[in-house]
């Protein structure tokens, strides 16, 4: 048995059902757990009050506490992992470093460089699958190719699933390396150049488990209620899945153990997550390009001022404005609203989907390259199994259908709260007396619509159709 190894955690910030740690503790006598605040990632973040950094920080504090309770502690480094990990491996003279596989292009390059450096020093780098149930081409067509359509992927995914795929990977925590005073400890967030900020979602493994337990009680109504942003009908687990404070196997175990439409539809959403991870792993070019290359020919004519109005929630379309304000204020946006806002940016404002994708990437607490890119390309009709280009959401009809009493809109656009429910979705049509009664002048207290939906819809259809004609 190997003497001493490191377990390098990245998107798996928990202690239970943890593949890399389970492997490491099965194969070595002593395992130390390390996290690197990666300067390549942190230096590129535009906001010093980035919520993701606070979320990670809190999850790590909890993890450190759990490790201390077992006589060990978390080693925390700040720098470039390509240097930091091999140099720590030298200092502690470990035989190997274990980690969970990551499918993002940057992470793949980083891990290859770490593996090279460790191997030059005679140490191993061992990667395990943890983020997904099936990675890359594990679920493939009969010809071994990647699926480009979700429904047959989901069918093949479900057919391939065996109980062992969902079995918990429990680490042997008796093998944790006793804490050593010389190990670098958790730095203060300010020392990393970031401020700690309040977040609507509890961070860490305990909070994730509490949320999953609580959601399990609501899972039965998920299928009917998940489309309504004013209801708390979805799990809110996306950030926990992103940072691995919950195990995806645990989520599937809970969903698949239950009967009914709610658990089935929820599991299908988790399979969408796997689908987009698979797309990123097999088609990394989607990071910069349309999945369907024909759509890269479009020169999107949208203007900067319209893009700014979208970003700031002043388009004159209440559901879009409410959602965009909510995103900026909280880092959260409901899935229905992500679809409506993305569609509005691309098909009403005619702005390149990549600009919207980047804006979401800046603010979403659950930002995940594969899911965000997949979601944007779906809405822009450029992606794998995307919305057909001729299907264009009408933001006002979406508003009437999914926020019927205007509850969500009133929370984020309080200036509209004085209107009757029917007028909230399209206050531009309210007459002068109605505006006075509502205490809101359209064009002054709340913006007039910046575009005409039917006119923009026609232009978008032409642009998208011209790309499909080749
Ligand atoms: C334009 C756009 C951008 C998006 N960006 C992201 C992102 O950066 N990070 C992210 O995690 N999700 C993203 N999504 C997917 C989806 O909106 C979120 O996963 C979901 O809203 C998170 O809420 P929840 O955890 O309550 O989800 P639930 O409804 O409880 O679903 C459970 C889990 O399934 C997965 N899931 C749910 N819906 C989808 C979906 N449509 N596509 C892929 N996976 C899904 C998520 O991991 C989610 O946590 C995006 C969707 C769109 C349309």
């Amino acid at each position: 048995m190997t003497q001493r190894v490191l377990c390098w955690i990245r998107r798996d910030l928990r202690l239970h059902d943890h593949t890399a740690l389970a492997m490491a503790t099965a194969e070595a006598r002593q395992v130390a757990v390390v996290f690197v605040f990666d300067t390549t990632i942190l230096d590129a973040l535009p906001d010093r009050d980035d919520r993701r950094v606070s979320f990670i920080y809190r999850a790590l504090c909890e993890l450190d506490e759990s490790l201390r309770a077992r006589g060990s502690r978390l080693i925390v480094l700040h720098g470039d992992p390509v240097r930091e990990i091999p140099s720590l491996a030298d200092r502690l003279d470990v035989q190997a470093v274990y980690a969970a596989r990551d499918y993002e292009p940057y992470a793949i390059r980083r891990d290859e460089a770490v593996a090279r450096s460790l191997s030059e020093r005679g140490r191993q780098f061992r990667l395990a699958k943890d983020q997904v149930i099936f990675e890359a081409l594990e679920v493939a067509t009969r010809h071994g190719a990647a699926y480009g359509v979700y429904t047959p992927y989901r069918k093949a995914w479900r057919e391939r699933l065996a109980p062992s795929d969902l079995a918990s990977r429990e680490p042997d925590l008796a093998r944790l390396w006793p804490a050593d005073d010389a190990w670098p400890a958790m730095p203060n967030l300010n020392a990393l150049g970031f401020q700690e900020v309040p977040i609507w979602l509890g961070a860490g493994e305990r909070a994730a488990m509490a949320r999953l337990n609580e959601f399990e009680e609501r899972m039965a109504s998920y299928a009917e209620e998940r489309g309504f942003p004013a209801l708390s009908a979805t799990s809110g687990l996306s950030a926990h899945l992103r940072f691995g404070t919950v195990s995806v196997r645990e989520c599937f175990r809970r969903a698949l153990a239950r009967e009914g439409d709610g658990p089935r539809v929820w599991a299908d959403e988790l399979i969408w997550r796997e689908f987009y991870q698979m797309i990123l792993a097999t088609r990394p070019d989607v990071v910069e390009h349309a999945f369907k290359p024909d759509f890269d020919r479009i020169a999107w004519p949208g203007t900067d001022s319209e893009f700014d109005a979208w970003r700031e929630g002043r388009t004159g379309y209440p559901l879009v404005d409410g959602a965009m304000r909510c995103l900026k204020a909280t880092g959260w946006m409901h899935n229905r609203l992500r679809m409506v806002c993305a569609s509005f940016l691309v098909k009403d404002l005619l702005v390149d989907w990549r600009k919207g994708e980047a804006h979401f990437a800046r603010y979403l607490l659950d930002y995940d390259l594969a899911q965000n890119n997949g979601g944007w390309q779906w809405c822009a009709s450029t992606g794998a199994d995307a919305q057909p280009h001729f299907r264009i959401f009408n933001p006002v009809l979406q508003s009437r259908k999914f926020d019927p009493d205007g509850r969500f809109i009133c929370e984020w656009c309080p200036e509209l709260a004085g209107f009757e429910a029917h007028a909230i979705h399209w206050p531009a049509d309210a007459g002068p007396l109605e505006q006075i009664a509502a205490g809101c002048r359209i064009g002054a207290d709340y913006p007039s619509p910046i575009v005409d939906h039917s006119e923009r819809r026609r232009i978008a259809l032409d642009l998208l159709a011209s790309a499909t004609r080749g």
Side-chain angles (χ1 to χ4, degrees):
M1 177 174 262
T2 311
Q3 285 302 315
R4 287 172 158 183
V5 301
L6 287 173
C7 178
W8 174 21
I9 54 172
R10 297 98 64 92
R11 293 178 53 141
D12 44 0
L13 308 183
R14 63 183 189 280
L15 277 190
H16 296 290
D17 194 359
H18 190 295
T19 320
L21 193 56
M23 260 171 68
T25 55
E27 293 171 12
R29 283 186 208 288
Q30 286 193 329
V31 182
V33 183
V34 54
F35 179 84
V36 187
F37 277 104
D38 183 340
T39 42
T40 311
I41 297 171
L42 295 184
D43 292 353
L45 294 175
D47 306 308
R48 297 296 94 188
D49 57 355
D50 192 300
R51 294 182 190 88
R52 279 86 49 112
V53 182
S54 283
F55 186 92
I56 293 171
Y57 187 76
R58 281 175 216 165
L60 293 178
C61 288
E62 184 190 294
L63 203 71
D64 186 39
E65 205 182 279
S66 306
L67 290 170
R68 283 174 191 269
R70 291 167 172 88
S72 187
R73 73 176 167 80
L74 185 63
I75 303 177
V76 184
L77 304 169
H78 181 214
D80 179 356
V82 176
R83 278 196 306 275
E84 298 292 336
I85 290 292
S87 115
L88 180 71
D90 284 350
R91 278 202 311 277
L92 301 185
D93 193 21
V94 297
Q95 279 93 338
V97 177
Y98 291 73
R101 201 154 18 251
D102 192 323
Y103 311 96
E104 295 191 2
Y106 161 72
I108 292 171
R109 286 195 304 278
R110 175 199 64 199
D111 287 354
E112 284 168 357
V114 169
R116 270 195 306 276
S117 177
L118 286 169
S119 149
E120 282 159 18
R121 298 155 143 93
R123 307 186 203 284
Q124 289 182 19
F125 187 43
R126 307 206 41 202
L127 288 171
K129 177 177 66 172
D130 186 74
Q131 236 184 78
V132 287
I133 307 298
F134 296 122
E135 61 187 4
L137 289 174
E138 280 188 315
V139 173
T141 65
R142 271 187 297 132
H143 310 293
Y147 278 102
V149 179
Y150 168 74
T151 307
Y153 171 84
R154 184 186 65 203
K155 188 166 178 282
W157 190 103
R158 283 189 179 263
E159 278 165 8
R160 207 204 134 136
L161 188 70
S164 58
D165 295 312
L166 298 186
S168 182
R169 277 72 165 150
E170 281 309 319
D172 178 357
L173 298 177
R175 291 259 164 84
L176 289 172
W177 193 330
D180 185 324
D181 286 344
W183 290 352
M186 182 76 89
N188 183 300
L189 206 51
N190 294 332
L192 299 176
F194 287 86
Q195 281 159 247
E196 206 171 342
V197 289
I199 315 174
W200 62 274
L201 181 74
E205 189 169 5
R206 273 198 295 272
M209 204 44 82
R211 183 163 274 273
L212 180 58
N213 290 338
E214 180 266 322
F215 174 66
E216 210 175 0
E217 303 300 313
R218 296 187 279 117
M219 212 186 267
S221 55
Y222 179 78
E224 306 95 74
E225 296 183 349
R226 69 191 173 121
F228 299 91
L231 304 179
S232 294
T234 69
S235 69
L237 280 165
S238 47
H240 288 296
L241 282 160
R242 163 65 181 85
F243 295 108
T245 36
V246 72
S247 147
V248 70
R249 289 176 295 280
E250 179 73 40
C251 293
F252 273 112
R253 285 197 292 270
R254 304 281 184 110
L256 299 178
R258 290 182 164 239
E259 303 270 314
D261 282 352
R264 182 183 48 76
V265 173
W266 196 60
D268 286 350
E269 292 304 324
L270 291 168
I271 302 174
W272 267 108
R273 175 180 175 275
E274 303 248 324
F275 179 69
Y276 285 142
Q277 290 287 8
M278 177 278 291
I279 296 284
L280 180 64
T282 55
R283 283 282 310 272
D285 60 301
V286 294
V287 175
E288 314 220 311
H289 298 285
F291 178 86
K292 295 179 194 145
D294 285 348
F295 288 101
D296 269 345
R297 281 201 293 266
I298 300 177
W300 295 97
T303 64
D304 283 349
S305 68
E306 286 171 356
F307 179 53
D308 288 345
W310 177 82
R311 284 197 301 185
E312 290 158 16
R314 44 177 185 80
T315 65
Y317 284 77
L319 192 67
V320 173
D321 292 342
M324 294 306 295
R325 293 178 194 184
C326 172
L327 171 66
K328 207 161 177 189
T330 66
W332 168 252
M333 195 192 283
H334 185 278
N335 181 60
R336 172 59 45 185
L337 303 178
R338 295 186 204 205
M339 295 197 290
V340 170
C341 291
S343 172
F344 187 80
L345 182 72
V346 178
K347 295 176 179 173
D348 284 85
L349 301 185
L350 312 172
V351 170
D352 193 320
W353 57 271
R354 281 160 276 233
K355 288 183 82 173
E357 184 195 8
H359 181 75
F360 273 28
R362 177 171 178 181
Y363 289 106
L364 280 176
L365 178 65
D366 64 18
Y367 167 63
D368 178 290
L369 175 54
Q371 312 312 320
N372 196 42
N373 182 274
W376 273 92
Q377 294 226 37
W378 186 90
C379 297
S381 303
T382 62
D385 203 7
Q387 187 179 48
H389 75 271
F390 46 84
R391 275 202 56 206
I392 295 183
F393 282 140
N394 178 320
V396 180
L397 295 185
Q398 288 285 313
S399 183
R400 292 201 176 112
K401 183 164 179 195
F402 292 107
D403 190 28
D405 52 6
R407 196 143 53 98
F408 173 82
I409 292 174
C410 289
E411 187 182 349
W412 293 100
C413 302
E415 65 274 36
L416 297 175
F419 284 107
E420 300 280 335
H422 72 270
I424 281 179
H425 307 284
W426 191 236
D429 269 356
L433 290 179
E434 220 177 332
Q435 294 186 30
I436 291 167
C440 175
R441 289 159 303 151
I442 301 304
D445 303 318
Y446 180 75
S448 302
I450 59 168
V451 289
D452 175 75
H453 173 68
S454 352
E455 185 188 309
R456 290 301 180 99
R457 184 176 179 279
R458 273 195 300 277
I459 303 175
L461 276 174
D462 277 354
L463 274 173
L464 290 157
S466 67
T468 57
R469 281 197 296 270

